[in-house]
Structure formats: C-alpha cells, structure tokens
Amino acid sequence: MSEMKKSTVAVIDYGMGNLHSVAKALEHVADENTSVVVTSDPAVIEAADRVLLPGVGAIRDCIGEMHNAGLVPSIRKAMAEKPFLAICVGIQSLMSHSEENGGVDCLNHFQGNALFFGETHTDHDGSKLKVPHMGWNQVTQTINHPLWAGIPDNARFYFVHSFYVVPENKSEVAGTCDYGLEFCVALARNNVFAVQFHPEKSHKDGLQLYKNFLHWDGKP
C-alpha cells in the first residue's frame, strides 16, 4: 500500500509563477493516490499534505501579491507544519530581504538576503557574464537530503535569475552553483526545501526532485 493515500499537494496561486508547467510536472510523477491542486484558497493550502510555492518575475510583486491575496499566514503555517518546497523566486521570497527595486522585505523564514549579480558580473577569468544567469548549470549537493535522492551530484538544472540568495546560516545550504562566483541554489531546514532553479524545466533530474518531494515526509 502507498504511504500517500489520497494525498494532496497544493501549488500556491498568488498570480505569479508558471503554474501550469509546475502542476503538469507534478502530475507526471504523481501516483494515482496523489492529487495536484493549483489554489489561492487558504483553507485548501492548510488542508493539503504538501505545499509548493512557485515564483517568477520581480520579488516586490511576488511578496505584494502574497499579502494582497491574504496567503502569507497560510504560507507560514504550511512552512511550520508540512513538507514545503519553494522554487525559483520562491526561494528568494523566503529570505529576510532582497536588494531588488531598492530593497524589499521578504518572509524571513531563512535569515539572509537576495543579492543582484550586477550589470558588470564577470567570470573567474575576468570575462563578462550575461545577467540574468540563464540556462543549464551544474548543482553541487552540499548535504545529503531526501530531495536529492536518485539525482547525481553536479547534475545540471535550468536557471533564469538575476538575484541569488546569501543565507546567514551556511549549514542550511543544500546546494551550490558556480557562475562567476559560488552561490547558494538550494536551502533546507527541517520540513522546508527551496531551490533557485526550475525543476519543471530540468528534464529527468528536475522530475526526480518533484517525485522525491511527493514522497517526502518532511524530515531532513
């Protein structure tokens, strides 16, 4: 028997994020006992077994829409109680602060900041790098974690971002990437896992991460 009888994963809809592709990727790896629901209803989010927070675009808009939709209490409750995954701008929204748009206060689940690569970002040899960081890059796993199960270390994932997170607690870093500097692309604390890349655009390894999430009990 599956340990996930009639399990529900809620993909939070606050008006920002590629919800269709995220939901389709989850459905692709879900078994018959798992329901994927895209929702902006706090009651549905709070009743779900697992919660996924997507995000694209500007962080000020993301945080603003979360507050406008009345979803912040439900997001905080989910992060306190159940397996929770944040992706792309979702990871930035969990930080204390972002320097985007002159400075934006975020949800402060992970203490630290989201910083801009800069208009003149360069590689280690001094050559200019494009910002946003866009395309495939290797992810080094810095801790053993259930969401990395079945995914090779240094597997390639798909990125689109101009800001990167710098957590205060380095022990919460679950994965790193190199793009002119080594930076954090995955954070983990208890039942919360967050990544900068797009699993739904990252082929088999991204799908494996989603599959791992659907079977994760929230323990490190």
Side-chain angles (χ1 to χ4, degrees):
M1 295 290 290
S2 170
E3 66 181 37
M4 293 185 61
K5 293 181 292 186
K6 304 300 180 186
S7 176
T8 301
V9 54
V11 179
I12 300 177
D13 180 6
Y14 57 97
M16 305 284 291
N18 194 352
L19 304 178
H20 177 75
S21 62
V22 171
K24 287 297 182 185
L26 288 168
E27 289 168 356
H28 182 73
V29 297
D31 61 30
E32 66 276 10
N33 295 316
T34 301
S35 175
V36 178
V37 180
V38 176
T39 182
S40 58
D41 185 339
V44 174
I45 295 167
E46 292 180 22
D49 298 287
R50 289 168 179 77
V51 174
L52 188 148
L53 178 68
V56 297
I59 190 67
R60 185 182 298 279
D61 294 337
C62 288
I63 296 295
E65 291 302 318
M66 289 179 201
H67 283 288
N68 291 340
L71 292 172
V72 171
S74 298
I75 292 170
R76 293 193 188 283
K77 193 169 190 293
M79 287 193 291
E81 297 178 350
K82 61 192 69 179
F84 188 99
L85 175 63
I87 62 173
C88 195
V89 175
I91 189 175
Q92 297 176 26
S93 74
L94 300 191
M95 305 308 293
S96 306
H97 187 266
S98 172
E99 65 178 14
E100 187 175 350
N101 302 125
V104 179
D105 288 331
C106 302
L107 298 181
N108 198 36
H109 183 78
F110 292 104
Q111 286 65 56
N113 300 308
L115 304 181
F116 183 40
F117 279 118
E119 299 291 352
T120 58
H121 188 53
T122 58
D123 208 344
H124 300 286
D125 63 2
S127 59
K128 192 174 187 327
L129 290 172
K130 291 182 179 179
V131 176
H133 171 217
M134 182 182 299
W136 296 88
N137 209 331
Q138 290 182 317
V139 171
T140 300
Q141 301 168 19
T142 56
I143 62 170
N144 291 320
H145 193 279
L147 264 68
W148 292 136
I151 300 172
D153 193 18
N154 296 315
R156 295 171 71 83
F157 290 87
Y158 190 81
F159 291 82
V160 183
H161 65 120
S162 299
F163 292 78
Y164 62 97
V165 299
V166 182
E168 292 179 4
N169 187 347
K170 302 307 180 187
S171 70
E172 294 176 338
V173 176
T176 62
C177 184
D178 192 288
Y179 191 65
L181 54 82
E182 185 182 54
F183 64 97
C184 171
V185 297
L187 284 168
R189 183 201 297 160
N190 300 328
N191 58 299
V192 176
F193 197 85
V195 298
Q196 180 63 66
F197 50 82
H198 286 271
E200 72 282 359
K201 296 180 180 179
S202 300
H203 299 331
K204 63 181 180 66
D205 291 319
L207 290 175
Q208 182 64 48
L209 189 141
Y210 277 156
K211 184 175 182 180
N212 292 341
F213 174 60
L214 293 181
H215 291 85
W216 184 34
D217 62 5
K219 296 178 182 177

